Amino acid sequence: METESLQLPSMLLQPFVENAIEHGIRQKPGTGKVVVKVGKQKRSFEVIIEDDGIGRDQGPRDKRA
């Protein structure tokens, strides 16, 4: 599989990137960074979405518990 010619519909990645922005970057003071990496695995590919946001431990707690 050639990753250089790989095409993914944006609707597959959009919810995950939006989540990284909404719950990580938006609450961070200053600017943030979101990185989307696509890599080849044996017979498939892997998508990694990373952000430098506030993290799960510092985010607001779910009140429904």
Side-chain angles (χ1 to χ4, degrees), residues 8-61:
L8 291 172
S10 61
M11 69 178 110
L12 291 177
L13 295 178
Q14 184 270 335
F16 300 103
V17 173
E18 183 176 304
N19 189 65
I21 294 168
E22 179 68 25
H23 298 288
I25 302 299
R26 190 174 130 222
Q27 299 173 22
K28 178 182 179 180
T31 59
K33 179 174 158 182
V34 176
V35 177
V36 179
K37 300 176 184 178
V38 179
K40 186 169 117 174
Q41 296 296 320
K42 292 180 183 179
R43 294 184 56 177
S44 63
F45 61 93
E46 173 181 54
V47 177
I48 299 172
I49 301 170
E50 299 175 335
D51 68 71
D52 66 349
I54 63 171
R56 288 182 173 197
D57 292 337
Q58 293 183 19
R61 299 285 178 209

